Amino acid sequence: MKKILLITLLCFSTITFAQKPIFTTAKIKSATVYSNSAELLQSAFVTLPSGTSEIVVKNVADYINENTIQIGAPANVTVLSVQLVRDYKETSNSNDVIKLSLLEQKFQDSIRFIENEISKINIEKNALTKTIELLDKKELAGTTKPEITISEFTKLVDYYRIKRNEFGQSIHVLNVKEEKFQEKIEILREKIASKKTIQNTKPVYSLVLQVMSSQASSINFDINYITNGANWIPFYDMRADNINSPINLMYKVKVSQNTGIDWKNVKLTLSSGNPNQNNTAPILQAWFLRFGYPRVYNNSNVIYNSLQGQVSGVAYDKKKEMDDESSISNYTTINENQLNVSFDIDIPYDILSNGKAHSVALKDLKLPATYKYYAVPKVEKEAFLLAEISEYSKFNLLPGEANIIFEGMYVGKTMINPNQTSDTLNLSMGRDKKIAIKREKIADKSGTKFLSGYKEQTFTYDITVKNNKKEAIEMLLKDQYPISTDKEITIELLDNGKAKVNAETGILTWDVKLGAGETKKLRISYKIKYPKDKFIDNL
């Protein structure tokens, strides 16, 4: 009997324990944001009794990677298990459920009341309609009597008109009332649907912890996990006063998150790493060749110009913004790890869970730059200003879009791509309209000759560059002549215009120095010889 009583008590205590979990709400302390995820650190305060307890932690993110959940607890508390649960029903929230049910019941009662009123309206409308039908029959029968006088006929028509109009107006009023009742029903049904959507479609996640405490105490749990609902993208504001000044580069990022919980007063760390990537080293397998069918490619020339603006634009006054952001560097620490770069920001931020981008300033950098103009008149008859940055790797730049502000003018956007092997990073600062470039074919030095079985074509071009600026400039100018891939096509460079010639690629390069207002003319000429019965489609 004692054993049975003991077992009964144990079962009763277990049921009681299961029915009374301890609820707590996690508060977010910091977030490390990656390119497509975030590592969140939260804390949860709870008062534990001695023994085993079940803790339900609310206010955790939606898209948690369960394999990354880590729980930190004091030495006197042992975490037995951790489980991510969707839509955990808390007893303290039962009042909210009851309120929702009562509200829905109230809406349903209103709908039933209005439907009863509509039924009464339909009964009244039906009675009026039948009355009109009887009136029509009676009055029509009265007008056909042979003994009726004109005076009686007139009175009968007047009575019919008055009554017919009265009944018609009554039906119209009832129709309007019915339409308004129908609109109210639709509004009430929409409210019921919206309440059900809020209650049912939005999942709420909680962490359920089974813990064992050696003594009763109040403690803080540290909760750490990775969630997929966050990202950050770098972008820049690039400013230069003139071609003799360094580039002021404001390093910024756009942070957005949709984790299901708002980040309030959170310390941010931005990392270039990716915790979700595959970290398995590749293994080479044997490479077996086999015969197949030739593929046909569209050999179209696509020229991509990432520059959106020109070195002439809208006045851009951002002095105040520069003053406000100039001290941001004091609050950002850059940590260069073996595999990635992270930015620790000491200023706490509020990032709401709405997916909207939030601009965060990281660093204000001064990049020593050497400016040079660049032009390829065969493709673009305008000069581009390039800023050459040496030893750019020490600035920890990441690929991103940059706004260009040159000489106080917003001139467009460009791309910064530091993932390259060259020692110098070229940043395009825009087009300069004050440098005029013209490339024209010289007709009397160009032409076609037929020699026995061959066709010989000569091409001659003059390139004219004029500096309309008030200061001297240096320009890197490029052009080209074709390269043969067929032994039947022979190409001879007749005049290289004193350019540096790359015989393998056919690229001609000039380092041109132009004084203020100075003009220079360069000439190139080449000859192509090939069988006259053939056609070169890209000449």
Side-chain angles (χ1 to χ4, degrees):
M1 180 64 70
K2 289 182 180 179
K3 288 182 179 180
I4 293 171
L5 181 60
L6 180 61
I7 292 170
T8 304
L9 289 172
L10 286 172
C11 292
F12 179 78
S13 63
T14 304
I15 293 170
T16 304
F17 163 75
Q19 290 176 346
K20 292 184 179 180
I22 301 170
F23 290 90
T24 185
T25 301
K27 295 181 180 179
I28 186 164
K29 296 167 64 178
S30 65
T32 300
V33 186
Y34 301 96
S35 60
N36 57 359
S37 59
E39 183 178 357
L40 302 184
L41 176 61
Q42 293 182 280
S43 65
F45 178 81
V46 65
T47 300
L48 289 178
S50 177
T52 306
S53 303
E54 181 179 82
I55 303 170
V56 179
V57 183
K58 302 184 298 176
N59 196 44
V60 297
D62 291 347
Y63 311 102
I64 295 178
N65 182 343
E66 293 189 58
N67 297 322
T68 64
I69 299 174
Q70 299 180 53
I71 307 296
N76 63 309
V77 177
T78 302
V79 179
L80 303 176
S81 68
V82 182
Q83 185 181 9
L84 181 65
V85 177
R86 174 175 172 169
D87 292 333
Y88 194 100
K89 301 300 181 185
E90 181 182 352
T91 38
S92 62
N93 284 342
S94 60
N95 291 332
D96 296 335
V97 176
I98 292 170
K99 287 178 182 177
L100 283 172
S101 299
L102 290 174
L103 190 60
E104 183 179 345
Q105 186 63 43
K106 183 179 178 181
F107 290 155
Q108 293 287 5
D109 290 343
S110 298
I111 290 173
R112 279 192 289 270
F113 173 79
I114 295 172
E115 286 176 343
N116 288 334
E117 293 298 313
I118 291 175
S119 296
K120 293 178 182 178
I121 288 172
N122 287 328
I123 292 171
E124 191 171 352
K125 282 168 57 179
N126 186 53
L128 288 170
T129 303
K130 294 295 183 183
T131 303
I132 290 174
E133 290 176 0
L134 290 173
L135 180 66
D136 289 343
K137 290 179 180 178
K138 182 179 179 181
E139 297 304 326
L140 184 62
T143 57
T144 58
K145 293 179 180 180
E147 65 275 11
I148 190 170
T149 65
I150 295 175
S151 176
E152 290 174 342
F153 179 80
T154 304
K155 289 179 181 179
L156 191 63
V157 170
D158 289 340
Y159 173 79
Y160 173 78
R161 178 178 54 80
I162 293 170
K163 286 297 181 184
R164 193 70 168 77
N165 184 56
E166 182 183 325
F167 293 152
Q169 289 292 338
S170 298
I171 291 175
H172 173 71
V173 170
L174 291 173
N175 284 333
V176 171
K177 190 181 290 187
E178 183 181 4
E179 287 178 4
K180 290 182 178 179
F181 278 146
Q182 291 290 358
E183 289 175 1
K184 288 182 179 180
I185 288 177
E186 289 300 319
I187 291 172
L188 289 169
R189 284 174 177 166
E190 287 176 3
K191 287 183 178 180
I192 292 173
S194 65
K195 293 296 180 184
K196 286 184 176 180
T197 301
I198 293 172
Q199 185 179 1
N200 299 328
T201 61
K202 174 64 177 173
V204 178
Y205 291 88
S206 303
L207 288 178
V208 179
L209 313 180
Q210 299 288 345
V211 302
M212 185 171 62
S213 178
S214 59
Q215 60 186 25
S217 59
S218 296
I219 64 166
N220 269 310
F221 284 101
D222 286 333
I223 304 168
N224 187 271
Y225 54 81
I226 290 177
T227 172
N228 294 329
N231 66 81
W232 69 281
I233 302 171
F235 73 103
Y236 306 89
D237 281 345
M238 195 164 61
R239 303 180 182 88
D241 295 332
N242 50 60
I243 60 173
N244 298 313
S245 63
I247 291 177
N248 292 312
L249 188 73
M250 177 56 71
Y251 203 145
K252 295 182 176 181
V253 295
K254 294 177 183 177
V255 182
S256 60
Q257 64 101 353
N258 195 21
T259 61
I261 56 175
D262 292 336
W263 302 353
K264 295 284 190 176
N265 203 33
V266 169
K267 184 180 181 298
L268 286 177
T269 298
L270 308 174
S271 175
S272 63
N274 181 6
N276 295 321
Q277 68 183 354
N278 182 10
N279 292 312
T280 304
I283 299 174
L284 282 176
Q285 303 292 338
W287 183 6
F288 298 103
L289 294 182
R290 59 181 180 273
F291 287 108
Y293 296 96
R295 299 179 182 179
V296 178
Y297 295 96
N298 179 17
N299 190 22
S300 60
N301 243 350
V302 179
I303 300 172
Y304 175 73
N305 179 14
S306 63
L307 186 71
Q308 301 295 323
Q310 301 174 353
V311 184
S312 60
V314 183
Y316 198 71
D317 182 12
K318 296 203 72 174
K319 183 179 185 301
K320 183 179 183 301
E321 182 180 340
M322 290 176 65
D323 292 340
D324 293 339
E325 294 176 343
S326 60
S327 61
I328 194 67
S329 300
N330 300 327
Y331 299 96
T332 304
T333 304
I334 300 178
N335 298 312
E336 232 180 311
N337 304 317
Q338 188 70 29
L339 300 176
N340 55 63
V341 178
S342 63
F343 303 87
D344 294 332
I345 306 170
D346 292 335
I347 302 174
Y349 278 87
D350 289 350
I351 311 291
L352 301 182
S353 178
N354 54 15
K356 294 183 179 179
H358 192 100
S359 178
V360 176
L362 296 182
K363 279 283 185 181
D364 190 7
L365 305 172
K366 283 193 181 297
L367 309 182
T370 303
Y371 296 89
K372 182 178 289 187
Y373 287 91
Y374 173 80
V376 185
K378 182 183 177 183
V379 181
E380 287 275 357
K381 292 181 175 59
E382 289 180 318
F384 293 84
L385 177 63
L386 298 182
E388 295 181 343
I389 313 295
S390 58
E391 298 181 355
Y392 59 91
S393 58
K394 66 182 180 181
F395 299 111
N396 296 300
L397 301 178
L398 295 171
E401 192 177 63
N403 298 316
I404 309 169
I405 301 97
F406 186 72
E407 294 179 340
M409 308 289 286
Y410 174 77
V411 297
K413 297 179 182 293
T414 188
M415 292 296 297
I416 293 179
N417 183 19
N419 296 335
Q420 50 184 286
T421 57
S422 60
D423 296 331
T424 303
L425 177 65
N426 289 317
L427 302 180
S428 182
M429 301 294 291
R431 307 168 187 246
D432 198 328
K433 295 288 188 180
K434 293 182 181 179
I435 300 174
I437 302 174
K438 183 170 65 173
R439 183 182 190 265
E440 57 182 345
K441 188 176 181 181
I442 308 304
D444 58 349
K445 299 292 184 181
S446 304
T448 302
K449 295 180 181 179
F450 292 93
L451 305 170
S452 63
Y454 285 89
K455 180 192 289 186
E456 187 178 272
Q457 288 184 274
T458 303
F459 298 88
T460 303
Y461 295 92
D462 277 351
I463 303 170
T464 306
V465 183
K466 184 180 181 182
N467 177 21
N468 294 314
K469 300 174 74 69
K470 295 180 180 179
E471 67 271 359
I473 64 167
E474 293 184 8
M475 174 180 288
L476 187 68
L477 188 68
K478 289 182 178 287
D479 211 299
Q480 67 180 155
Y481 68 97
I483 301 295
S484 174
T485 57
D486 193 305
K487 63 181 181 180
E488 291 187 301
I489 302 174
T490 60
I491 300 169
E492 181 183 357
L493 181 61
L494 303 175
D495 189 348
N496 61 22
K498 298 181 180 179
K500 296 177 184 176
V501 181
N502 187 329
E504 294 182 358
T505 62
I507 303 297
L508 306 173
T509 305
W510 295 267
D511 288 314
V512 181
K513 294 183 180 181
L514 292 169
E518 185 179 358
T519 302
K520 284 192 177 181
K521 184 177 288 187
L522 306 168
R523 174 170 289 187
I524 63 169
S525 182
Y526 52 88
K527 182 170 62 178
I528 304 171
K529 184 179 178 182
Y530 57 94
K532 66 179 181 181
D533 59 342
K534 293 189 176 181
F535 172 73
I536 301 176
D537 61 354
N538 62 337
L539 184 58

